[in-house]
Amino acid sequence: MDEDALKKIVDTFFVCRRDELVEIFGEFLNALDAESSLSPGSSMSRNYETAQANPEIHALPGNLKDARDAVFPYFWGTDEWFSKLHLENVKGPANYASLVGALACLLKNPNLCVDTYSQRSNELEVKAITSLANLVFYHTDAPWGVFTMGGTVSNLYGGRIGIEKVLPNAMAKGVGGGNLVGIVSEAAHYSNATLAGWLGMGTENLLQIPTDENMAMRLDLLADVLEKAYADGKKVAFVIATFGTTDAFGVDDIAGVRRVIREKAAEAGEPPPQLHVDAAVGWVLCFLNEYNAVRNPFELPDEVLAVVREAQERARALEQADSVTLDFHKMGWGHYPSSAFIVNRRDDLRYLTRDKADVPYFSEAEYRHDPALFTLECSRPAIGPYSVMASLNGIGLTGYQMLVAHSLEMAALARNVIGGLDYCKVLNPRSLGPSVVWWVLPKGRNAGEIYRRLIAGTLPEEERLRYWAEIRHLFDKRASDLDRALDARLSFTTSIGFSPHGRPIPAWKAIFFNPRTDREVVERIGMSIEDL
Ligand SMILES: *Cc1c(COP(=O)(O)O)cnc(C)c1O
């Protein structure tokens, strides 16, 4: 061994050289500054051709600047979503308190799988989860939970507990026989089909309940489906209700779902399915739980105040959930990955817990402190707790209330601007969230009347297809004409999550998620539609 060369490597890469790190970090920040004058998505085009053809590993040891140079073109070529013109999806800028937390986490790189690897970081996780649990369940005595890789995995936990409840020992024995079903609404996130497939239940056994015009699961049909499933001898492991659908922000009636599943399971003499709530996006409404809608300190306009009041009522029903998924990396404006899976009663984690004999190298483990006894993952990053606690205590409850209220206000303004045009139709006018989905038809068409005929089932198929094509065509036209420096980028969904007479409804979509998006941006959306 060349001791000198080895020492050089250790000194370069395993000794914290503050000046060098600060210098490089400063350079990245300079690049961010320079980029802020560019329009979204315009910094650099991709080069997949050589990404595979010319992979690259330096032959000789270098230094931290080589590390910088290796990633810099991709850093520069990746949009940071800070622009107020980004409205395409549930994707927004992460806040800088979260960055402070995430950087602190990266400097220590704790592993949350067991207490001994993470020390106070697991304690931070307990604190972060309990803070969030108090927000969503409002009153809860024994919540517990973990941060996961994302909403998909958090939902997977909810489904998994359900299976173990109705099929004890399925963890070991498997689920067998197509006898097991799960239920979601038609508007539910596709991650639920992912988990049904991955859990061995089969995607075809995830039964989808049609939604109503507000993109909420129809309780009458839920009751019918449950009755039939039990009559056919099925085990119903879980019902995953959605609190805020991704496109149109439909909110399932959690208390109603609880009532129906309790009744139907009791009639069948079966254990009630796990009631898991996918609140990946919608949980942020809970920040408004204690907003004083009478004093109205933010001077919110009446229509937003009405949304806040209804949100408060809907959010109260979350305490009926057995477990919930909450994505802090969405509207918590935190960094990826910061998804939390939380059970309302810690005791439910026994359905996931493995024997210490199964995890021999954690022989000293105790599940209170060592989540590895029940988590899907073994190694687990600590970004979630660091991002959550840094953000909650940097921005504060009132700060979050203002951010969420601002999103709701911009969404309400957009609904007014778009709803004022005869040839447009807002499809989620009573939504409680930051998303707006709508049709733009050619001028002269009466969009409201077309919608009414669609709902009534009197819109001929041929005519419907023509309108669908027009809506898409106008979207593409705006996208090709827009001024990248001034016009917001919108997205298109082929299904808003409501399918009257079995026909999915396509729409234009904007999500007012970015705190910097202001009135001017919204008003220009209206103008760009009028100019089409
Ligand atoms: C985003 C989302 C998911 C998936 O979460 P990831 O963190 O992207 O894995 C699940 N459900 C809903 C309602 C979502 O909006």
Side-chain angles (χ1 to χ4, degrees):
M1 175 61 66
D2 178 341
E3 296 290 342
D4 286 345
L6 179 65
K7 180 168 185 317
K8 191 157 174 243
I9 292 177
V10 172
D11 283 350
T12 309
F13 296 105
F14 294 92
V15 173
C16 181
R17 299 193 177 281
R18 179 187 297 243
D19 293 345
E20 281 179 47
L21 288 172
V22 169
E23 183 185 18
I24 290 175
F25 198 60
E27 290 161 353
F28 280 122
L29 289 174
N30 289 342
L32 280 189
D33 264 353
E35 267 183 330
S36 65
S37 61
L38 299 176
S39 325
S42 60
S43 42
M44 259 189 173
S45 57
R46 299 175 183 84
N47 182 13
Y48 279 117
E49 288 77 12
T50 45
Q52 259 196 315
N54 281 321
E56 200 177 12
I57 303 179
H58 280 184
L60 299 174
N63 57 33
L64 298 184
K65 289 184 182 136
D66 293 304
R68 175 200 65 193
D69 295 346
V71 298
F72 190 81
Y74 309 90
F75 177 79
W76 179 262
T78 296
D79 214 335
E80 23 127 23
W81 285 68
F82 273 93
S83 163
K84 64 182 184 178
L85 300 175
H86 266 311
L87 304 180
E88 297 102 307
N89 223 324
V90 193
K91 163 95 183 73
N95 79 81
Y96 283 104
S98 171
L99 182 74
V100 169
L103 281 176
C105 174
L106 290 175
L107 284 172
K108 293 291 183 68
N109 197 30
N111 181 341
L112 292 187
C113 74
V114 286
D115 201 28
T116 40
Y117 296 178
S118 75
Q119 302 192 13
R120 293 204 68 185
S121 296
N122 265 128
E123 179 189 335
L124 189 68
E125 180 175 47
V126 170
K127 207 173 165 76
I129 286 285
T130 310
S131 308
L132 295 174
N134 288 337
L135 202 60
V136 292
F137 296 136
Y138 213 77
H139 292 294
T140 174
D141 297 327
W144 207 258
V146 282
F147 282 87
T148 78
M149 292 180 284
T152 307
V153 176
S154 293
N155 286 344
L156 185 70
Y157 275 84
R160 186 67 194 75
I161 290 184
I163 290 178
E164 204 64 23
K165 280 182 176 172
V166 301
L167 275 186
N169 219 17
M171 184 81 87
K173 300 281 182 215
V175 296
N179 185 36
L180 192 66
V181 297
I183 294 178
V184 293
S185 86
E186 280 184 353
H189 195 264
Y190 77 88
S191 54
N192 296 302
T194 307
L195 75 90
W198 284 56
L199 287 173
M201 173 184 273
T203 53
E204 288 174 10
N205 292 310
L206 183 71
L207 311 177
Q208 299 188 7
I209 312 290
T211 49
D212 62 20
E213 269 186 273
N214 296 318
M215 275 61 75
M217 185 188 290
R218 278 184 51 185
L219 297 182
D220 55 333
L221 298 180
L222 171 65
D224 292 351
V225 166
L226 279 171
E227 225 173 87
K228 175 158 188 336
Y230 287 131
D232 292 346
K234 307 277 187 191
K235 296 272 180 198
V236 183
F238 55 79
V239 172
I240 298 184
T242 311
F243 194 80
T245 61
T246 317
D247 275 345
F249 210 91
V251 171
D252 288 342
D253 172 0
I254 311 298
V257 171
R258 168 58 80 199
R259 185 168 22 82
V260 171
I261 64 179
R262 187 186 285 136
E263 265 172 39
K264 294 295 156 193
E267 279 169 28
E270 289 286 328
Q274 173 84 357
L275 175 50
H276 179 74
V277 176
D278 180 358
V281 193
W283 69 275
V284 282
L285 290 183
C286 298
F287 280 122
L288 296 170
N289 282 351
E290 291 191 344
Y291 181 75
N292 188 329
V294 177
R295 277 188 37 237
N296 191 19
F298 301 164
E299 297 174 8
L300 300 174
D302 285 348
E303 57 189 328
V304 177
L305 213 50
V307 169
V308 170
R309 285 207 178 90
E310 193 180 342
Q312 289 176 334
E313 199 182 311
R314 298 308 205 89
R316 240 189 322 271
L318 283 167
E319 62 187 20
Q320 309 249 0
D322 292 319
S323 54
V324 3
T325 288
L326 182 167
D327 273 3
F328 200 81
H329 56 228
K330 287 187 180 155
M331 282 194 67
W333 295 279
H335 286 80
Y336 298 113
S338 298
S339 178
F341 167 73
I342 310 181
V343 291
N344 207 339
R345 290 164 297 274
R346 185 197 301 171
D347 191 42
D348 269 354
L349 291 177
R350 75 180 188 278
Y351 293 106
L352 300 178
T353 307
R354 314 286 295 280
D355 260 356
K356 283 181 198 171
D358 295 337
V359 283
Y361 60 85
F362 299 140
S363 58
E364 322 244 294
E366 191 208 325
Y367 95 99
R368 273 191 79 118
H369 300 302
D370 299 324
L373 288 178
F374 70 88
T375 51
L376 176 65
E377 308 95 325
C378 176
S379 294
R380 215 156 42 86
I383 296 276
Y386 279 83
S387 166
V388 166
M389 291 317 283
S391 303
L392 289 182
N393 293 293
I395 294 173
L397 189 57
T398 306
Y400 269 103
Q401 287 181 340
M402 293 170 75
L403 291 172
V404 176
H406 173 72
S407 280
L408 297 178
E409 208 172 337
M410 290 303 107
L413 179 64
R415 283 187 201 108
N416 288 342
V417 167
I418 297 161
L421 304 169
D422 285 346
Y423 49 95
C424 294
K425 165 86 182 119
V426 173
L427 301 164
N428 61 343
R430 291 192 296 158
S431 161
L432 302 179
S435 58
V436 184
V437 285
W438 72 96
W439 287 343
V440 179
L441 284 155
K443 292 196 182 80
R445 294 231 189 277
N446 183 338
E449 192 253 352
I450 293 170
Y451 181 80
R452 277 190 296 280
R453 283 162 60 215
L454 175 72
I455 300 299
T458 57
L459 188 66
E461 191 63 7
E462 227 171 276
E463 224 180 299
R464 181 180 68 81
L465 291 172
R466 182 160 74 242
Y467 298 143
W468 270 205
E470 287 172 352
I471 293 165
R472 176 77 221 195
H473 170 74
L474 289 169
F475 180 83
D476 291 338
K477 181 160 189 299
R478 178 182 179 278
S480 67
D481 293 350
L482 60 75
D483 179 342
R484 282 172 171 276
L486 289 174
D487 286 314
R489 291 152 62 111
L490 309 173
S491 50
F492 193 86
T493 177
T494 51
S495 173
I496 61 170
F498 169 48
S499 305
H501 314 287
R503 302 274 182 263
I505 301 181
W508 294 36
K509 168 173 103 173
I511 304 200
F512 295 91
F513 180 166
N514 191 322
R516 291 163 67 167
T517 301
D518 51 19
R519 285 176 176 272
E520 191 195 331
V521 172
V522 178
E523 277 154 14
R524 267 200 74 91
I525 293 176
M527 282 155 57
S528 71
I529 292 172
E530 290 185 74
D531 287 347
L532 281 171

